[in-house]
Amino acid sequence: EVSYLMKHDKFTIVDEAEAWDKTGKGPTSVKWVDTQKGTEKDPDIRSRLVARDFKPKGEKDREDLFAAMPPLEAKRILFSRAVTRVRMKIKRQGPKKLLFIDVKKAHLNPVCEQDAYIELPEEVGAPKGTYGRLNYWLYGFRPAGRAWEEDYAKRLEGVGLRRGTAAPTIFNDEERGLQCVAHGDDFTFLGYDEDLDFIQVEMEKWYEIKVRGRLGPDAQDDKQIVILGRTVTWTKEGIE
């Protein structure tokens, strides 16, 4: 984790005085958070460096800090449309399919546009009396979730997807017939093969991603995937 942070210049090592001069306070403390992402038989332990950024005493609630989450029905609508035959103005070959993509280390991608400093863990090997000035946000900072949402939304809009009004984590490209529902670092796309190929290539340019599967009726397509704790299965009769 530390190697990744340093290789991608997520922070710059600076003298202790800079944090006090810029912010009038010391750096934010950090801690390691270990998460078991696998199973007992096949463990996958993920360690993340997390900032201990707490709400200041007396501060009122701030809606600008919270990232939006789509309703579960938004995912279900994509599943329904995947197996519903409708006449389309778009000329595409083959059936619509579902593409599932996870973005790795999502909150480390947005640029940190304010003065934010962290204590550095001993694994960094930095000299005493130095801190880290963030170039990109770190997990645990209160603005990181909203910054991540705005980062991917800007990129999706840049390639033609229109952002939803009622639900800002839903996107639609009428020209391609491509639709997306984002849930944190989890993206579900609905579209034809050539358009799913297009968005996969674009996301690989922006982020480090994991393609979890492409569900569809063709023999080479995946038939089952687990998403948000639910098993989605493509059958001959439709999607369960």
Side-chain angles (χ1 to χ4, degrees), residues 17 19 49 78 85 121 125 127 139 146 157 159 183 187 209 235-236:
L49 187 65
L78 288 191
R85 292 185 179 181
Y139 282 100
R146 175 58 68 88
E157 289 178 305
V159 294
H183 190 282
F187 292 77
I209 68 172
T235 72
K236 293 182 179 180

Side-chain angles (χ1 to χ4, degrees), residues 22-36:
K22 292 283 188 178
T23 66
K25 60 182 181 180
T28 301
S29 61
V30 297
K31 66 177 182 179
W32 287 106
V33 175
D34 299 330
T35 306
Q36 163 66 294

Side-chain angles (χ1 to χ4, degrees), residues 107-114 134-137 147 151 155:
H107 285 193
L108 303 182
N109 287 288
V111 174
C112 180
E113 297 181 339
Q114 65 188 62
L134 292 186
N135 302 318
Y136 298 84
W137 283 111
D151 187 86
R155 295 179 188 276

Side-chain angles (χ1 to χ4, degrees), residues 2-237:
V2 167
S3 297
Y4 176 88
L5 292 170
M6 298 181 72
K7 178 182 177 181
H8 293 86
D9 296 322
K10 298 301 180 180
F11 60 82
T12 300
I13 298 175
V14 298
D15 292 333
E16 178 180 355
E18 181 177 322
W20 287 96
D21 291 342
K22 292 283 188 178
T23 66
K25 60 182 181 180
T28 301
S29 61
V30 297
K31 66 177 182 179
W32 287 106
V33 175
D34 299 330
T35 306
Q36 163 66 294
K37 306 294 287 189
T39 63
E40 287 189 19
K41 293 183 178 180
D42 186 20
D44 180 15
I45 308 299
R46 179 178 299 170
S47 296
R48 278 181 174 161
L49 187 65
V50 177
R52 303 175 75 240
D53 185 24
F54 301 109
K55 179 179 178 180
K57 187 176 181 180
E59 181 183 85
K60 295 182 178 179
D61 291 336
R62 293 176 53 190
E63 292 186 2
D64 62 303
L65 292 175
F66 295 95
M69 287 294 169
L72 181 60
E73 288 76 11
K75 297 274 189 183
R76 288 174 172 163
I77 287 172
L78 288 191
F79 301 158
S80 175
R81 289 181 174 178
V83 291
T84 301
R85 292 185 179 181
V86 295
R87 289 188 176 184
M88 300 291 294
K89 297 179 181 179
I90 307 158
K91 293 184 179 179
R92 292 286 191 271
Q93 296 295 322
K96 280 197 169 186
K97 301 177 183 180
L98 293 160
L99 174 65
F100 298 86
I101 291 178
D102 283 352
V103 175
K104 299 180 179 180
K105 306 181 187 296
H107 285 193
L108 303 182
N109 287 288
V111 174
C112 180
E113 297 181 339
Q114 65 188 62
D115 294 323
Y117 296 83
I118 59 169
E119 293 180 350
L120 295 172
E122 61 181 26
E123 289 84 357
V124 172
K128 289 185 177 180
T130 59
Y131 296 147
R133 182 182 66 231
L134 292 186
N135 302 318
Y136 298 84
W137 283 111
L138 184 70
Y139 282 100
F141 272 102
R142 298 166 70 212
R146 175 58 68 88
W148 162 239
E149 180 185 317
E150 295 304 318
D151 187 86
Y152 73 70
K154 182 179 179 180
R155 295 179 188 276
L156 290 175
E157 289 178 305
V159 294
L161 281 86
R162 184 178 178 184
R163 194 176 187 182
T165 302
T169 55
I170 295 174
F171 299 84
N172 181 42
D173 183 341
E174 293 184 358
E175 291 186 6
R176 289 193 177 92
L178 182 66
Q179 296 171 316
C180 171
V181 175
H183 190 282
D185 58 4
D186 174 283
F187 292 77
T188 303
F189 291 95
L190 171 66
Y192 298 95
D193 272 325
E194 61 182 277
D195 300 312
L196 296 179
D197 291 341
F198 162 78
I199 197 63
Q200 180 177 326
V201 169
E202 292 299 315
M203 292 197 72
E204 287 172 344
K205 295 177 185 176
W206 309 332
Y207 309 119
E208 184 178 344
I209 68 172
K210 177 181 180 181
V211 178
R212 299 188 59 234
R214 185 178 297 198
L215 264 60
D218 294 337
Q220 73 274 17
D221 296 330
D222 297 304
K223 303 303 177 188
Q224 190 174 84
I225 195 168
V226 176
I227 180 172
L228 302 179
R230 294 164 174 82
T231 301
V232 181
T233 306
W234 191 296
T235 72
K236 293 182 179 180
E237 289 74 29

